[in-house]
Amino acid sequence: MSVAGGHHNAITSGAGIGCDCVQIFTKNNNRWAAKPLTEEGIAQFKQAQQEHGISHTLSHASYLINIASPKDELRTKSKNALVDELERAGKLGVPHVVFHPGSFTTGTEDSGIELIVESLLEVLDKTTSAGADILLENTAGQGTNLGWQFEQLGRMINGVENHNARFADRIGVCIDTCHTFAAGYPLAEAGDYTATFKAMDDAFGLDRIKAFHLNDSKKPFGSRRDRHEHIGLGEMGLEPFRNLLNDPRFQEIPMYLETEKDDHDDGRTWDEVNLETLRNLIA
């Protein structure tokens, strides 16, 4: 939800359309710099949460961050930005910051993953008292983006844990349905759905999943293109969402919409329409 006019407005807006959980950007997602959070703004955000009963909040980090970059300057800038994102989220009481692992660009998959592990270790070490932890988001696999294969995410997580076991509880995963589908993991048929989540479990463990992004896909299966569509109107259809929403393993895991924020023809927002569609799938 938009934080225009103050972070607390995202909570108010989300509650106004029936959200149980809200994802925010704590700063402009396409800029490095950010205004410091104020004590007043922090208090307003926490008060809005309490008033509206929104206990599950999530922060999405800047899209500029690339801790897999072989360019030292960009990687350093990205690590510093991620530290700042965790500190900002912690001040607001947001428990997790989700971000895309990064792109290896002129490097290789192996070198990119090594740099991600190295960067995560540094960031986690600098934010031991921040109060917020990291969620790696699976990607669609466009270009040189890493994290589209579950095994890649597993290598990142295991790399961090193997180097420093005390960080094991500070790194989790956010699964995006559009990205999963676009990366070539089927979700519609019951057997395929089971196999896809078995692959996740084998790679990094289902207990690492702390959030879901619920998005349909404008692009076809296995396209490796990240283009979100409204629920049930894209290439995925409704069955993947029906399977997920009725999976008892994930009933306590918050799920967030990332679909376009324009208005529907019937006068409602598309968020309201998508929420209704999803809730109607619950048995």
Side-chain angles (χ1 to χ4, degrees):
M1 300 302 292
S2 172
V3 297
H7 294 89
H8 62 286
N9 286 333
I11 301 297
T12 303
S13 298
I17 62 170
C19 293
D20 297 319
C21 55
V22 172
Q23 177 177 266
I24 63 169
F25 291 105
T26 68
K27 58 182 285 296
N28 189 304
N29 58 304
N30 285 311
R31 292 183 184 175
W32 292 106
K35 293 181 179 180
L37 297 173
T38 66
E39 292 301 321
E40 180 184 8
I42 293 169
Q44 288 176 325
F45 184 80
K46 293 181 177 180
Q47 182 178 353
Q49 279 190 274
Q50 187 173 6
E51 287 179 358
H52 296 292
I54 303 287
S55 58
H56 294 291
T57 52
L58 180 66
S59 171
H60 199 302
S62 168
Y63 295 130
L64 300 176
I65 291 173
N66 182 10
I67 60 172
S69 174
K71 296 182 178 180
D72 292 342
E73 183 179 355
L74 175 57
R75 195 170 65 259
T76 297
K77 202 170 187 178
S78 297
K79 287 185 287 188
N80 291 338
L82 188 52
V83 167
D84 185 48
E85 294 273 9
L86 287 164
E87 290 175 343
R88 292 172 70 87
K91 289 175 182 177
L92 290 168
V94 178
H96 297 107
V97 173
V98 60
F99 79 110
H100 303 164
S103 303
F104 61 80
T105 62
T106 59
T108 65
E109 176 182 324
D110 288 343
S111 67
I113 291 175
E114 287 177 6
L115 289 173
I116 289 172
V117 171
E118 174 188 300
S119 298
L120 288 173
L121 286 165
E122 184 177 333
V123 168
L124 289 168
D125 188 56
K126 290 180 177 179
T127 57
T128 52
S129 60
D133 297 327
I134 285 175
L135 298 185
L136 299 172
E137 180 176 351
N138 68 311
T139 66
Q142 192 163 321
T144 62
N145 287 351
L146 291 164
W148 65 282
Q149 294 176 318
F150 302 147
E151 292 79 8
Q152 292 176 345
L153 294 174
R155 288 173 63 189
M156 297 170 198
I157 293 169
N158 290 335
V160 170
E161 189 171 3
N162 290 340
H163 278 84
N164 198 324
R166 69 190 176 97
F167 294 147
D169 294 335
R170 292 198 58 208
I171 185 167
V173 174
C174 174
I175 294 298
D176 186 300
T177 54
C178 168
H179 300 174
T180 304
F181 176 84
Y185 293 99
L187 293 164
E189 299 296 331
D192 289 338
Y193 175 88
T194 298
T196 291
F197 277 90
K198 170 87 167 45
M200 291 185 209
D201 197 25
D202 290 343
F204 50 76
L206 296 183
D207 59 323
R208 293 277 183 190
I209 301 175
K210 306 299 180 183
F212 285 95
H213 287 161
L214 302 185
N215 305 298
D216 206 327
S217 175
K218 290 182 183 291
K219 299 300 180 180
F221 178 76
S223 65
R224 293 179 62 178
R225 299 284 301 281
D226 179 8
R227 298 292 185 274
H228 297 180
E229 181 57 281
H230 296 299
I231 305 300
L233 299 184
E235 296 288 332
M236 293 176 64
L238 292 176
E239 289 311 303
F241 302 99
R242 191 191 313 275
N243 291 334
L244 181 58
L245 290 169
N246 290 289
D247 191 329
R249 296 173 296 182
F250 307 121
Q251 288 182 353
E252 301 300 320
I253 304 298
M255 302 180 181
Y256 305 84
L257 283 166
E258 288 186 321
T259 46
E260 293 180 10
K261 301 301 179 185
D262 49 347
D263 291 332
H264 189 270
D265 292 341
D266 67 4
R268 293 181 295 167
T269 66
W270 265 108
D271 279 339
E272 291 175 286
V273 175
N274 287 323
L275 282 171
E276 181 180 54
T277 300
L278 289 167
R279 285 171 174 151
N280 284 339
L281 297 176
I282 300 173

